[in-house]
């Protein structure tokens, strides 16, 4: 059955970016509908059981899922209508968003659209990667932290970014044996504080190494890893075989651009931010004047940048709808400056450069 | 196992060999490879393999731009129950 629904602002995705957007728009008086395909709001925050660090404004010292709960409470208190198990499946010719809700298809007509669709996990291929026992690290984290299910006993982690490091540590806490991490780059790519936790527990991190093959009859039983040269080609004679039942891939994320692309938003490519992404201006407006983008969709970063990009998009969209107060201009300026500060330091500066290029590309359209 | 037995598109069981053959036949875009090999035409509609096909293209020296590196997304972008699309069980 197809039914219709109308609202001033539709926010797609209730992770930190979407929640931030919905909260700020609702605070200014906009009627907001927030939809998410999952049965709980919070996006990736929902499975983050560790305490966040950073600043007080970004909930330092609070566990990720509790941040999600706090944001959801705030959104509800401000009158945001939250629809869970509601999956945006496309855009229709009249500009409305098609949403699957159980066995129904709902057409949602909104004056402004904020896309906070997040990112999806990447895979890499090697002979045997389609065997049961190979999966992405984020999937294993969801199984463990949300559904109390350990996906394997003896695990090889592929990738030493923050996802690979944090998920390894959490699975160790849950009782798994992490046989080691392989990283194709010459150095660990995530934060030292996360790498330290697993190194102290004696887990080897093999840099300049990759997976060559997964072996097993019905599922993964062994993995062959080996060293790579500067061209990332395997070095003959360096192969090592490990007995594992699970290989987890933590090899980056790609923005989920389908809806933005369908809406006609111009895309750009920034590899450090995950590949193709919709270009946007400083206030997160895409090249379509009714569509804003924020969070991992607008470039894969972290929960704190996603939250603030969302807040900025929500404030800008509210203003464009005619809702603003004496503090709005100031608020936007603070958020823009805050985002700049979050992208300082060794890890942030490359992202800052990419973001500047994205904003420049927007102004060239 | 040979590296050419490596499956790239698991829904349609398209191997690295199939894709490299398509590239040798002159395919130089995601949709070109898709039309020749069916990579990306299975149940997941390329949500897992489009990035992998893109990588094989690049590894084989194909330079991709905005058009050649993306599929055109169409509604529905994810599988939906037939009832939701207006059909009957």
């Amino acid at each position: 059955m197809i039914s219709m629904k109308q609202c001033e602002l539709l926010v797609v995705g209730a992770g930190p970016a979407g929640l931030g957007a919905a909260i700020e728009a609702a605070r200014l008086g906009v009627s907001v509908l927030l939809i998410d395909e999952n049965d709980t709001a919070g996006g990736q925050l929902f499975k983050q059981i560790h305490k966040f660090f950073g600043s007080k404004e970004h909930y330092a010292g609070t566990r990720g899922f509790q941040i999600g709960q706090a944001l959801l409470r705030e959104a509800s208190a401000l009158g945001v209508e939250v629809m869970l198990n509601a999956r945006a499946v496309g855009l229709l010719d009249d500009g409305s968003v098609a949403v699957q809700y159980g066995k129904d298809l709902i057409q949602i007509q909104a004056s402004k659209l904020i896309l906070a669709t997040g990112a999806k996990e990447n895979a890499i291929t090697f002979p045997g990667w389609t065997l049961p026992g190979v999966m992405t690290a984020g999937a294993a984290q969801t199984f463990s932290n949300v559904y109390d299910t350990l996906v394997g006993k003896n695990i090889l982690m592929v990738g030493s970014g923050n996802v690979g490091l944090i998920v390894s540590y959490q699975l160790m806490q849950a009782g798994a044996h992490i046989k080691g991490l392989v990283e194709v780059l010459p150095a660990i790519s995530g934060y030292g504080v996360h790498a330290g936790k697993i190194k102290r527990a004696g887990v080897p991190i093999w840099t300049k190494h990759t997976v060559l093959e997964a072996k097993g009859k019905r599922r993964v039983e062994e993995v062959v890893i080996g060293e790579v040269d500067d061209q990332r080609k395997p070095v003959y004679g360096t192969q090592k075989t490990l007995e594992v039942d699970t290989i987890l891939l933590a090899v980056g994320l790609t923005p989920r651009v389908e809806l933005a692309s369908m809406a006609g938003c111009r895309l750009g490519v920034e590899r450090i931010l995950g590949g193709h992404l919709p270009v946007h201006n400083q206030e997160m407006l895409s090249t379509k004047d009714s569509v804003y983008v924020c969070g991992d969709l607008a470039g894969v970063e972290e929960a704190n940048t996603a939250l603030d990009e969302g807040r900025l998009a929500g404030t800008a969209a509210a203003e464009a709808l005619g809702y603003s107060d004496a503090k709005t201009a100031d608020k936007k300026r603070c958020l823009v400056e805050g985002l700049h500060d979050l992208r300082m330091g060794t890890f942030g500066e490359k992202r800052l450069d990419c973001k500047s290029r994205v904003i420049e590309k927007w102004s060239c359209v | 196992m040979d590296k050419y037995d490596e499956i790239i598109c698991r829904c349609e069981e398209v191997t690295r060999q199939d894709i490299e053959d398509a590239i040798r036949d002159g395919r130089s875009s995601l949709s070109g490879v898709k039309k020749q090999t069916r990579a990306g035409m299975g149940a997941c509609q390329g949500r897992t393999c489009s990035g992998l096909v893109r990588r094989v293209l690049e590894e084989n020296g194909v330079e991709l731009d905005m058009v050649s590196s993306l599929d055109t997304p169409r509604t529905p972008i994810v599988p939906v129950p037939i009832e939701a699309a207006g059909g009957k069980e």
Side-chain angles (χ1 to χ4, degrees):
Chain A
M1 202 192 82
I2 295 176
S3 55
M4 297 279 288
K5 209 169 160 72
Q6 285 192 330
C7 61
E8 280 184 298
L9 173 65
L10 173 65
V11 181
V12 180
L19 282 164
I23 286 169
E24 295 310 326
R27 205 195 298 285
L28 287 165
V30 180
S31 88
V32 184
L33 175 60
L34 172 62
I35 64 168
D36 195 280
E37 62 186 346
N38 297 299
D39 55 12
T40 3
Q44 296 305 299
L45 284 174
F46 191 66
K47 59 186 188 184
Q48 306 304 331
I49 54 173
H50 61 282
K51 290 180 180 170
F52 279 47
F53 46 82
S55 66
K56 194 166 151 254
E57 295 80 62
H58 296 103
Y59 304 91
T62 309
R63 296 183 193 279
F65 71 94
Q66 290 163 331
I67 301 174
Q69 288 166 348
L71 292 170
L72 184 61
R73 274 196 302 275
E74 194 180 355
S76 302
L78 287 162
V80 172
E81 185 186 349
V82 184
M83 246 175 106
L84 298 171
N85 296 308
R87 170 179 283 179
V89 297
L91 296 182
L92 303 175
D93 291 343
D94 62 357
S96 62
V97 179
V99 175
Q100 181 216 332
Y101 187 60
K103 286 184 176 178
D104 293 333
L105 197 69
I106 307 172
Q107 246 177 287
I108 301 178
Q109 191 75 253
S111 308
K112 299 280 177 198
L113 181 60
I114 295 184
L115 297 175
T117 48
K120 58 187 175 189
E121 295 190 271
N122 296 338
I124 51 165
T125 62
F126 41 84
W129 80 288
T130 48
L131 281 171
V134 182
M135 65 166 78
T136 57
Q141 190 185 34
T142 305
F143 271 117
S144 177
N145 296 359
V146 181
Y147 299 107
D148 295 331
T149 303
L150 207 47
V151 296
K153 288 197 178 89
N154 292 299
I155 299 174
L156 176 79
M157 181 67 74
V158 184
S160 72
N162 286 325
V163 173
L165 297 172
I166 292 172
V167 174
S168 294
Y169 185 63
Q170 291 178 350
L171 294 176
M172 282 162 67
Q173 289 180 308
H177 179 205
I178 307 292
K179 289 262 178 151
L181 276 78
V182 288
E183 167 59 60
V184 76
L185 297 173
I188 294 170
S189 51
Y191 292 156
V193 59
H194 297 313
K197 284 184 189 167
I198 61 171
K199 280 207 271 189
R200 281 195 296 275
V203 174
I205 302 180
W206 293 290
T207 52
K208 284 188 91 171
H209 273 71
T210 193
V211 177
L212 298 170
E213 185 173 357
K215 292 180 178 175
K217 276 213 177 77
R218 289 176 167 272
R219 57 163 299 128
V220 174
E221 291 164 17
E222 284 181 338
V223 63
V224 184
I225 63 169
E227 212 176 308
V228 294
D229 62 18
D230 295 336
Q231 275 73 51
R232 297 194 189 180
K233 298 276 178 237
V235 178
Y236 183 76
T238 61
Q239 288 93 326
K240 240 197 301 260
T241 302
L242 306 171
E243 256 179 58
V244 297
D245 51 37
T246 306
I247 300 169
L248 297 181
L249 309 176
V251 290
L253 299 153
T254 300
R256 288 172 68 179
V257 298
E258 294 88 348
L259 289 176
S261 168
M262 216 181 275
C265 302
R266 202 183 136 195
L267 304 183
V269 177
E270 290 294 342
R271 289 198 184 234
I272 287 174
L273 297 177
H276 294 80
L277 51 92
V279 301
H280 57 80
N281 71 2
Q282 190 170 263
E283 297 183 358
M284 311 315 295
L285 177 64
S286 74
T287 54
K288 293 301 257 187
D289 66 6
S290 58
V291 182
Y292 295 76
V293 293
C294 52
D296 279 354
L297 165 66
V300 176
E301 294 188 83
E302 302 192 333
N304 53 12
T305 45
L307 178 59
D308 282 2
E309 281 193 350
R311 290 190 192 278
L312 188 54
T315 310
E319 199 179 23
L321 285 164
Y323 297 84
S324 58
D325 59 27
K327 289 181 276 179
T328 304
D330 222 30
K331 170 138 208 166
K332 285 195 300 182
R333 195 180 44 78
C334 283
L335 285 164
V336 169
E337 284 171 8
L339 280 163
H340 185 270
D341 292 347
L342 285 172
R343 294 174 183 133
M344 288 284 105
T346 345
F347 286 93
E349 266 167 9
K350 282 184 191 159
R351 292 188 268 126
L352 185 64
D353 289 346
C354 293
K355 278 290 186 180
S356 313
R357 263 201 306 276
V358 166
I359 290 167
E360 202 182 296
K361 276 184 207 160
W362 181 89
S363 61
C364 295
V365 175
Chain B
M1 203 191 288
D2 194 87
K3 84 163 178 146
Y4 294 100
D5 292 330
E6 190 178 316
I7 289 174
I8 302 293
C9 164
R10 49 203 306 176
C11 301
E12 292 289 323
E13 296 188 358
V14 179
T15 63
R16 178 179 284 271
Q17 179 77 67
D18 296 330
I19 293 170
E20 292 190 352
D21 287 348
I23 295 168
R24 257 187 299 281
D25 289 346
R27 307 289 90 81
S28 57
S29 67
L30 220 55
S31 70
V33 168
K34 176 163 91 178
K35 283 165 191 155
Q36 176 155 341
T37 66
R38 292 196 56 85
M41 293 176 96
C44 94
Q45 291 287 289
R47 278 175 299 146
T48 303
C49 70
S50 61
L52 303 173
V53 173
R54 201 179 292 137
R55 181 176 297 180
V56 178
L57 281 159
E58 284 169 346
E59 282 169 1
N60 282 272
V62 179
E63 274 182 40
L64 298 172
D65 59 18
M66 245 5 194
V67 176
S68 58
S69 64
L70 275 177
D71 274 329
T72 311
R74 290 185 181 84
T75 304
I77 53 172
V78 285
V80 296
I82 195 74
E83 298 96 319
K88 289 208 171 75
E89 239 175 307

